[in-house]
Amino acid sequence: MKIRAAVLEEIGREGPYAKTRPLRVQDVDLEGPGPGEVLIKMVAAGLCHSDLSVINGDRPRPVPMALGHEASGIVEEVGPYVDDLAVGDHVVCVFVPSCGHCAPCAQGRPALCEPGALHNGVGDLMSGAFRLRSHGQPVHHHCGVSSFAEYATVSRNSLVKIDREVPLHIAALMGCAVLTGAGAVFNGGDVKPGGTTAVIGLGGVGLAAVLGAVAAGAETVVAVDMFQQKLDLALELGATHAFRADDPDVVAKVRDATNGGVETALEFAGSVKALEFSYAITRRGGTTVTAGLPNPAAVLTLPAVSLVAEERTLKGSYLGSGVPSRDIPRFLGLYKRGKLPVDKLLTHRIALDDINEGFDRLASGEAIRQIIDFV
């Protein structure tokens, strides 16, 4: 079938993207689902810094590639051997397909699925197939999803079925922003009621972590970012303190406000400088969690003795260190009960043709979460 999709043909094109147009909305051919695959009609797709990092070259991927990984949609057709989804089901896309059989999957860590990571790097589906083509040549799949398109054929392992009562433009945020941000709080950070937590980097993922920390019962929630409007929003969402990252005394101010440092610092800025800062504001015996994705060439330097002498923990969190089929329904349940108001993160709803302008807003810090509406 012919569909319209936003395709990245060249990595590293500089902004403003409204002029340079790194993403070209074009007609491409989409094949229907093969064994273990599902065809979905996209309803909503979020613009995320992980997409931007492919555009600007921080996370190189094979091109041409149809971008997009955070989305929700409706099942249009199921392929052979898919017996737990039916036409009309509402689904959320997950950007790491999990096989269920490799060592990490067997340990309950599907975010680290080895075949999933391999196929995401190659840019094909879990089956090894390319279902997108342009002029007869393959177009790569982004994270097995490629949600900046009217329709997508994806692995069944990339989908979580959800309650039809949830608005799909809200459900889309669960696939990355909430799963990664709130997941890092509940799973990776193990934030406890009455605890002290800091969130560094207040994009859609970081602000979802603020919501998660509030929902988890943290007594002190410190928000840190370069942009005042994001700090103001964090305070509206329940943060107790807000500090500008460009304040030269910010480390001392955070440590003073938290009686020596936070128990858990969560970094989402995707820079080594932000991660070093996060470690610096974590107290003795505390945990620093990073879910940011800096350039692969970036190197972190820390005083190694502090890991032992201060019993510090430094850990990564990918896909919220969780289980999407478990966590997405849980987070949607919190949303429906008013405990996780992720609708407050949604700042723009745009058309597919306006996608380059959307990435300009994201790069400048003007937007939190933008959703492409397909209906």
Side-chain angles (χ1 to χ4, degrees), residues 160-173:
V160 173
K161 182 180 176 181
I162 63 167
D163 187 337
R164 295 193 191 191
E165 294 181 0
V166 178
L168 283 168
H169 70 282
I170 296 298
L173 302 178

Side-chain angles (χ1 to χ4, degrees), residues 3 20 26 28 35 62 68 93 137 173 257 272 302 335 342 346 369:
I3 66 167
T20 59
Q26 61 186 80
V28 296
C93 299
Q137 299 301 311
L173 302 178
V272 168
L302 293 173
Y335 164 75
V342 298
L346 185 55
R369 237 353 174 235

Side-chain angles (χ1 to χ4, degrees), residues 325-346:
S325 60
R326 176 198 68 195
D327 292 342
I328 288 176
R330 286 181 175 179
F331 294 152
L332 284 172
L334 288 172
Y335 164 75
K336 289 192 290 185
R337 293 193 297 277
K339 303 295 186 181
L340 205 66
V342 298
D343 52 297
K344 296 181 179 180
L345 308 182
L346 185 55

Side-chain angles (χ1 to χ4, degrees), residues 216-252:
E219 184 168 343
T220 301
V221 180
V222 177
V224 183
D225 198 271
M226 297 285 289
F227 296 98
Q228 187 61 46
Q229 67 269 29
K230 293 185 177 181
L231 295 172
D232 293 340
L233 178 55
L235 290 170
E236 291 178 23
L237 297 178
T240 57
H241 301 73
F243 297 96
R244 288 284 295 258
D246 52 359
D247 183 339
D249 299 319
V250 64
V251 171

